[in-house]
Amino acid sequence: MRVALLTEGGYPFAQGESVAWCDRLLHGLPEHEFDVLALSRFSRQERGPRRPPPGNVREVRTAPLWGAPRGIGAPPGAPRAWARVSCGLARRFAASFAELAAALCPGDHAPGQARSRPQADRFADGLYGLADLAAAHGGLGTWLRSEDAVRVLEAVCRARHAPRAVRGARAADLLAVADRLERALRPLSLDWYGRAGGPGPRDLSHAVGTGPAALAGLVARHRHGTPLLITEYGARLRDHHLANGAGPGAHADAFPAGLGTAAAAHAVAGPGGVAPVRALLAAFRVRLAREAYRGAALITPGDSAARRRREAQGAGPGWPRTVRPEPGAGLFRAVAGGRPPAAPPTLVRVGRAEPDQELDWLLRVFQDVRAAEPAARLLVVGAPARGRAETGHLARCRALAARLFPSRGKPSPVTFTEVGTAEVPTLADAYAGGGVVVRCGAARGYPPALIEAMLRARAIVSTDTGAVVEAVGDTGLVVPHGDRAAFAAACVSLLRDPARGARLGAAARARALDLFSVERDAAAFAAVYREVGHEGVAARAGAAARAGLEPIRAATAGREPA
């Protein structure tokens, strides 16, 4: 089977989202041929090192979501004829872009226009209208950054019943939105779908995420009927909202099924209204994700909770199929079992120091642990700094630890270190530094540190977020998120009973080896490809048959029946 693997900011580049997972997928399915079609997010990524593809990768194509746009330009010669064509193209563009923009900000955009038309249909009509325009006449970059585009955006922001968050949009805001939309819509202008010089249709499009990479798969489905498979292990919409300054409560996964795009955008923007740029871009992301869910033949989220959220966001019942990710912890899979815990009762926390990971909350919990178990220690292990400045949050946590646990001439019970130091040469050594691994804070899907701890046969205490319960089962202690007393009590119980911790750790390793493996992941996607990909094979065969009949139809056109 011929599969187009669609990525954004990830594989085949050496660093980025889901790089290691894509690499394992390609190596694990040698019976299929792959074309890797990748979007890069910045110039350094495009120029940087890349993963060497396995032998079943036929072609690797990349395109930038940065830099100057590709626009529709006048062909050489025939300037008068081109002027007439250009005028028609401008009208077609304005009509399609107006439909797409109106879906972002529902309102009364024209006298007598019905507001009851589904916004999903308006977005789809505008999106595929732009795709057809790009296929016939080249890139849309010039148009998407033109005054026509800005005027369309201004009209939807000024329309009656438009969301409050966008009504005050200024010219600078609209220009910024037009610029960002042009970048996001660049897949419409790429020659990845069988235009002249393109590689032609595939049997299946496999998109990693619901951003512009999924847009490429939607275009292939629109033009060739190629079925679209979406794998989404993270919470891409949430990350987008947070990156654009929205509050953590604006998780797009939490939007109820009946919540319209305007309300979703306003929820992201905040009750008091924020920059219209954020609201419009959030609405675009939400609408694009819902169109991807609507157009996908199958969605493979990584856990059951994510599957239920995808169904609430617009995926049809039964479309999402849970496929647990293999976390790439080969280092830990080879370990027969964890080393004995360190002599002093020690809690280990491994991961990045960001506000949503609640390291400051964990330090206060450790106060309660020390009150019950004075010999307890806490080892905080971070990722290598690699020359980067320490984050402000980590610095504040260090200061908080110094206040909560003053030395008074003795070593602090809290140790901050990172992987690659003399204390913790490798990640495996980090988990060997204590008997109980703790984690708290936000989780999207399966926290990698938690799975690594399970494979390292360590007892676990975690708050109930993301897919923690689904991963741990009954092999660890999971407490309600934010319950400081319960978290401290769970830690103390395991520190005082190392034998119980060892039993839980052994069970956790066995569970992780069963649930999270390269072989299981590859087998699951091999089955999915067989199920979904046959539609693409049938579509290609049908297209070839129709193409073969065209000359016969042309030759017999106009003849009287015998």
Side-chain angles (χ1 to χ4, degrees):
M1 186 179 298
R2 187 178 178 188
V3 181
L5 183 65
L6 308 171
T7 69
E8 177 195 348
Y11 192 90
F13 309 111
Q15 295 182 344
E17 297 175 2
S18 305
V19 170
W21 177 83
C22 290
D23 192 52
R24 292 191 298 274
L25 178 73
L26 296 172
H27 282 87
L29 297 174
E31 68 274 21
H32 298 294
E33 292 183 332
F34 287 87
D35 296 326
V36 177
L37 310 177
L39 300 167
S40 62
R41 291 183 181 163
F42 41 85
S43 59
R44 187 175 70 254
Q45 185 178 55
E46 182 79 30
R47 296 193 307 267
R50 300 187 181 188
R51 291 280 183 118
N56 58 334
V57 173
R58 295 182 9 158
E59 183 178 27
V60 176
R61 289 191 172 204
T62 64
L65 295 178
W66 48 272
R70 176 185 174 187
I72 298 177
R80 293 182 181 177
W82 173 251
R84 291 192 297 271
V85 171
S86 179
C87 184
L89 293 178
R91 287 194 296 269
R92 287 180 57 192
F93 166 78
S96 295
F97 188 66
E99 285 291 277
L100 184 144
L104 308 184
C105 297
D108 295 336
H109 301 292
Q113 186 180 64
R115 298 185 66 240
S116 60
R117 187 181 176 202
Q119 298 302 312
D121 291 344
R122 301 197 70 176
F123 184 85
D125 288 348
L127 186 70
Y128 300 124
L130 293 174
D132 292 340
L133 186 63
H137 301 286
L140 299 173
T142 302
W143 295 107
L144 289 167
R145 295 192 183 191
S146 68
E147 292 184 11
D148 289 341
V150 173
R151 281 195 291 268
V152 167
L153 291 172
E154 182 179 24
V156 299
C157 291
R158 303 289 187 266
R160 195 164 52 130
H161 304 304
R164 186 177 63 199
V166 304
R167 292 177 196 165
R170 302 166 301 172
D173 300 327
L174 300 175
L175 288 168
V177 172
D179 176 75
R180 294 287 294 276
L181 289 181
E182 183 277 320
R183 295 173 187 270
L185 292 171
R186 285 189 184 182
L188 300 181
S189 304
L190 299 175
D191 60 349
W192 286 354
Y193 319 106
R195 292 208 317 254
R202 287 91 176 176
D203 300 317
L204 173 67
S205 296
H206 187 173
V208 182
T210 56
L215 176 57
L218 287 172
V219 172
R221 173 179 170 271
H222 171 68
R223 293 182 184 164
H224 305 293
T226 307
L228 172 61
L229 168 67
I230 295 177
T231 293
E232 194 174 26
Y233 287 141
R236 182 67 188 281
L237 283 171
R238 175 186 184 276
D239 295 341
H240 170 76
H241 301 327
L242 294 179
N244 282 276
H251 196 329
D253 288 349
F255 295 156
L259 184 62
T261 304
H266 187 70
V268 172
V274 296
V277 175
R278 298 176 190 169
L280 289 168
L281 294 177
F284 174 78
R285 287 287 186 177
V286 170
R287 183 55 66 199
L288 177 57
R290 289 180 175 172
E291 178 62 22
Y293 296 145
R294 188 171 74 157
L298 191 67
I299 303 166
T300 56
D303 59 87
S304 299
R307 175 181 56 79
R308 291 190 293 271
R309 290 195 297 268
R310 299 303 178 263
E311 289 176 343
Q313 285 180 274
W319 285 350
R321 179 88 49 79
T322 303
V323 178
R324 296 184 181 91
E326 195 285 314
L331 170 67
F332 303 95
R333 289 175 56 79
V335 178
R339 294 197 311 222
T346 304
L347 305 176
V348 178
R349 187 266 189 193
V350 179
R352 56 191 175 87
E354 299 293 344
D356 67 338
Q357 296 306 300
E358 301 178 357
L359 176 56
D360 51 347
W361 183 83
L362 178 61
L363 291 171
R364 292 185 171 88
V365 171
F366 187 59
Q367 265 191 308
D368 302 337
V369 174
R370 287 272 294 179
E373 191 66 29
R377 301 182 61 81
L378 173 63
L379 178 63
V380 179
V381 182
R386 302 186 190 281
R388 298 189 302 270
E390 187 177 88
T391 66
H393 183 69
L394 180 57
R396 289 191 292 273
C397 288
R398 287 179 182 271
L400 176 62
R403 290 198 306 272
L404 296 177
F405 310 100
S407 63
R408 297 191 177 95
K410 298 180 180 180
S412 173
V414 180
T415 301
F416 290 85
T417 186
E418 62 184 32
V419 176
T421 61
E423 295 174 292
V424 185
T426 68
L427 193 55
D429 294 314
Y431 294 102
V436 179
V437 173
V438 295
R439 73 153 304 280
C440 55
R444 297 177 285 281
Y446 299 104
L450 183 146
I451 300 174
E452 292 164 356
M454 294 174 68
L455 289 167
R456 190 61 173 154
R458 284 296 181 251
I460 293 169
V461 176
S462 175
T463 54
D464 184 7
T465 58
V468 168
V469 172
E470 188 174 340
V472 174
D474 59 358
T475 67
L477 304 185
V478 182
V479 304
H481 185 245
D483 192 334
R484 175 172 165 175
F487 198 98
C491 292
V492 171
S493 68
L494 291 180
L495 290 176
R496 288 177 174 174
D497 191 352
R500 182 191 179 197
R503 290 194 300 273
L504 288 174
R509 175 173 168 81
R511 180 179 177 85
L513 289 172
D514 178 56
L515 292 182
F516 308 103
S517 70
V518 174
E519 297 78 14
R520 190 185 188 106
D521 202 31
F525 276 102
V528 167
Y529 280 12
R530 286 194 299 270
E531 177 181 344
V532 179
H534 78 277
E535 300 176 14
V537 174
R540 288 182 64 185
R546 289 191 297 273
L549 290 175
E550 288 304 323
I552 300 175
R553 290 173 180 163
T556 59
R559 293 183 182 177
E560 294 293 331

